[in-house]
Amino acid sequence: MLRIWHDHLSHARRRSPHTVRAYHATAARLLDALPEGQTWSSLARLEAPTLRAQLAARRGEGIGNVSAARELSALKAFLAFARVQAGEPEARAPRMRGPRVKKGLPRPVTPDDAVNLAATVSEDAAEEWIAARDRAVLLLLYGAGLRIAEALSLPAGVLPLGETLLVKGKGGRERIVPILPIVRDSVADYAAKVPYLLAKDELLFRGAKGGPLAQAMIQRAVARARVALGLPPTATPHALRHSFATHLLGAGADLRSLQELLGHASLSSTQIYTKVDAATLLDVYRSAHPRA
């Protein structure tokens, strides 16, 4: 069951590796809590009290509202899939209202802080080629609006970069993003210094031993750099993507164009940046207006 569920998420739904791991783990916890010998039909008949008990157990482990909401979403998806597997495509998972989650605004960094982060991370690197690598990755996030997973999954076959780049994002959706000269030059500098052969069908960014570069390595490097620069904990690699969107919107980009550049499936995901921009303007007003 878990293997079929995993394959469905990975291939049929094309969910991100992080989502696949989380939804797979949720299904595994549910099956562990139930008596042995479950079938798709028995899962399809599970009702809301079972889900409540499962969430209560997770709450007892200390998870918060955000994690509980995600857990409930994963449980509903798994049971809906079970009903389809049991031959009940019209049936739906039990109705349950999840915990309220206050959706926070993205926290972008300033243009100067974005550049300083990339510079500080590269200065802190142990080797010259690693410095070039980390700078190239961060400039792809800020200069092209890529998610960190998108940047690290780029094949070496994209070299040499041109004026645009084809990016495969969430759900297998593809988009074309423009590449600034500074980003193009930074990636070219890394490609010239990396000590490993960059075969076209292999990943572009490599770890210290030549394997795929892990997100955690970039996240740790940025964490060290933000401490050195006195930046808040919200200054993460993903904040550079938020900064890309916020700064473009502030410079006059329209929402539809921004949606295409970010690879959002829904315009509602992009509209949150209008609130960020309005909040920034309000902060400026409050600090600058003599009667504020």
Side-chain angles (χ1 to χ4, degrees):
M1 283 181 172
L2 291 175
R3 180 183 56 78
I4 293 172
W5 175 231
H6 185 282
D7 290 347
H8 170 73
L9 293 169
S10 300
H11 305 305
R13 298 299 303 277
R14 294 185 176 181
R15 294 300 188 104
S16 71
H18 176 76
T19 300
V20 172
R21 285 194 300 271
Y23 277 41
H24 181 274
T26 296
R29 282 191 291 268
L30 175 63
L31 291 175
D32 284 343
L34 296 172
E36 293 186 4
Q38 294 296 319
T39 65
W40 292 120
S41 295
S42 63
L43 288 176
R45 291 191 296 271
L46 291 181
E47 299 294 342
T50 302
L51 300 192
R52 291 195 187 95
Q54 189 69 8
L55 286 178
R58 293 286 287 146
R59 285 287 201 179
E61 296 172 5
I63 66 171
N65 280 357
V66 174
S67 296
R70 185 166 53 239
E71 188 90 357
L72 178 58
S73 177
L75 285 170
K76 286 182 174 180
F78 181 53
L79 295 190
F81 178 71
R83 294 186 180 219
V84 173
Q85 293 295 106
E88 303 176 29
E90 300 301 322
R92 294 186 177 181
R95 288 189 176 183
M96 274 187 63
R97 182 174 294 179
R100 290 189 175 184
V101 178
K102 185 178 179 181
K103 194 170 184 180
L105 294 179
R107 299 293 183 89
V109 297
T110 68
D112 285 344
D113 286 340
V115 173
N116 289 338
L117 264 177
T120 303
V121 165
S122 62
E123 289 169 3
D124 191 44
E127 298 182 48
E128 186 178 0
W129 76 270
I130 293 179
R133 178 200 69 189
D134 292 354
R135 184 171 186 271
V137 170
L138 295 182
L139 287 184
L140 277 169
L141 307 188
Y142 179 58
L146 270 61
R147 301 177 178 92
I148 187 170
E150 293 170 346
L152 299 189
S153 64
L154 288 174
V158 301
L159 298 174
L161 288 182
E163 294 185 354
T164 61
L165 175 66
L166 179 65
V167 179
K168 181 173 288 189
K170 287 186 176 180
R173 292 186 296 272
E174 294 183 338
R175 68 185 190 277
I176 295 177
V177 297
I179 298 297
L180 298 171
I182 187 174
V183 178
R184 190 162 55 245
D185 293 344
S186 181
V187 173
D189 181 50
Y190 157 70
K193 292 175 178 176
V194 62
Y196 303 106
L197 178 66
L198 296 177
K200 291 186 179 296
D201 58 344
E202 295 182 352
L203 292 178
L204 171 60
F205 293 109
R206 305 295 184 81
K209 296 183 179 180
L213 177 59
Q215 291 187 28
M217 300 304 297
I218 298 296
Q219 290 163 344
R220 282 198 287 268
V222 170
R224 290 193 297 268
R226 71 169 174 253
V227 170
L229 294 170
L231 297 177
T234 53
T236 62
H238 198 64
L240 295 177
R241 173 173 154 90
H242 292 322
S243 304
F244 165 85
T246 306
H247 299 162
L248 279 182
L249 188 64
D254 65 273
L255 280 176
R256 284 293 182 188
S257 298
L258 196 56
Q259 179 189 3
E260 290 294 323
L261 291 173
L262 292 171
H264 286 160
S266 169
L267 186 62
S268 62
S269 299
T270 314
Q271 286 173 330
I272 192 171
Y273 291 105
T274 62
K275 298 179 182 178
V276 175
D277 199 43
T280 302
L281 288 174
L282 187 58
D283 285 343
V284 172
Y285 167 80
R286 284 171 174 164
S287 62
H289 197 284
R291 297 291 184 181

